[in-house]
């Protein structure tokens, strides 16, 4: 069943505030949060607003990069008219759908479809700067189980290959993670490389 995210792009998504950062046209970068987001518009809570008509790139955790033009200034931020390619729009729709489902309690990582990818070797980048070898036990759109010689503490941020993740539990000889940015249907397959 599809939600309003993909059927009606003007509907704002009711998700918890998502942390992120934004880059103004002059190169200044600040922390921010999203108040609402749709495929056409995002409302951003921010300490500094650019000018109406200014290009801005907003990087939101669990959503990714959202590019556009500032359409209006708010007392505590600004609105952005989203301007992304059709391919990025499809990925944005998938991520928003995932956030909506997660907010409604419909996403259960353990019941998500899991695969064993063709390429199971992965470099595990730890918060202290060490890089250790890992093996992907299984992989879903939202997370992975990794066999590794270390077990980072729960809640620790790690990077698997190039994908950022949070350690959510320990398993025998390794750990499981939840990705900061889940895969979308278009990029998830047995041939994916982390």
């Amino acid at each position: 069943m599809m939600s309003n995210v993909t059927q009606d792009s003007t509907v704002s998504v009711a998700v918890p505030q998502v942390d992120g950062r934004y880059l103004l046209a002059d190169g200044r970068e600040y922390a921010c949060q999203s108040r609402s987001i749709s495929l056409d518009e995002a409302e951003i809570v921010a300490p500094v607003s650019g000018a109406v008509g200014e290009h801005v790139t907003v990087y939101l955790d669990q959503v990714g990069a959202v590019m556009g033009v500032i359409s209006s200034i708010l007392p505590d931020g600004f609105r952005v008219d989203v301007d992304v390619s059709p391919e990025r729009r499809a990925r944005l729709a998938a991520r928003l759908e995932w956030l909506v489902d997660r907010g409604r309690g419909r996403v259960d990582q353990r019941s998500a479809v899991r695969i064993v990818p063709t390429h199971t070797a992965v470099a595990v980048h730890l918060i202290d700067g060490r890089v250790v070898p890992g093996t992907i036990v299984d992989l879903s759109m939202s997370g992975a189980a990794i066999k590794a010689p270390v077990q980072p503490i729960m809640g620790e941020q790690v990077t698997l290959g190039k994908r950022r993740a949070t350690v959510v539990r320990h398993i025998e000889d390794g750990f499981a993670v939840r990705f900061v940015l889940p895969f979308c249907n278009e990029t998830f397959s047995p041939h994916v490389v982390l």
Side-chain angles (χ1 to χ4, degrees):
M1 179 175 154
M2 300 292 281
S3 81
N4 287 340
V5 173
T6 53
Q7 291 177 1
D8 182 356
S9 64
T10 62
V11 175
S12 291
V13 179
V15 296
Q17 289 184 334
V18 178
D19 292 329
R21 63 191 195 286
Y22 63 101
L23 184 66
L24 295 172
D26 64 6
R28 292 180 295 160
E29 186 173 335
Y30 301 96
C32 67
Q33 285 187 330
S34 66
R35 178 176 290 134
S36 65
I37 187 167
S38 73
L39 295 177
D40 295 318
E41 181 180 82
E43 193 169 300
I44 305 298
V45 177
V48 175
S49 296
V52 171
E54 181 177 351
H55 287 275
V56 63
T57 302
V58 182
Y59 301 93
L60 295 172
D61 295 346
Q62 303 171 346
V63 175
V66 177
M67 291 155 282
V69 175
I70 296 175
S71 60
S72 62
I73 305 300
L74 306 171
D76 60 351
F78 54 90
R79 277 193 192 91
V80 177
D81 285 340
V82 175
D83 182 20
V84 293
S85 68
E87 179 183 316
R88 288 191 65 84
R89 190 175 179 87
R91 287 198 302 264
L92 177 60
R95 289 182 180 143
L96 294 179
E97 181 76 26
W98 180 82
L99 281 172
V100 168
D101 286 346
R102 190 174 120 182
R104 293 177 180 160
R106 292 184 187 161
V107 175
D108 180 359
Q109 286 181 271
R110 296 189 60 96
S111 66
V113 174
R114 295 189 170 270
I115 62 170
V116 177
T118 306
H119 306 284
T120 58
V122 65
V124 179
H125 301 263
L126 302 170
I127 198 163
D128 63 9
R130 290 182 296 152
V131 180
V132 298
T135 303
I136 301 169
V137 176
D138 61 36
L139 179 69
S140 74
M141 291 175 70
S142 59
I146 305 295
K147 183 177 179 181
V150 297
Q151 285 187 320
I153 61 172
M154 297 206 350
E156 184 174 320
Q157 295 288 309
V158 297
T159 302
L160 303 177
K162 295 181 181 178
R163 189 164 287 267
R164 293 186 316 140
T166 303
V167 176
V168 293
R169 68 182 176 279
H170 292 146
I171 61 172
E172 186 177 347
D173 297 325
F175 57 96
V177 298
R178 179 179 59 245
F179 297 129
V180 172
L181 291 176
F183 284 98
C184 60
N185 288 330
E186 295 83 0
T187 60
F188 186 68
S189 78
H191 304 294
V192 71
V193 177
L194 293 182

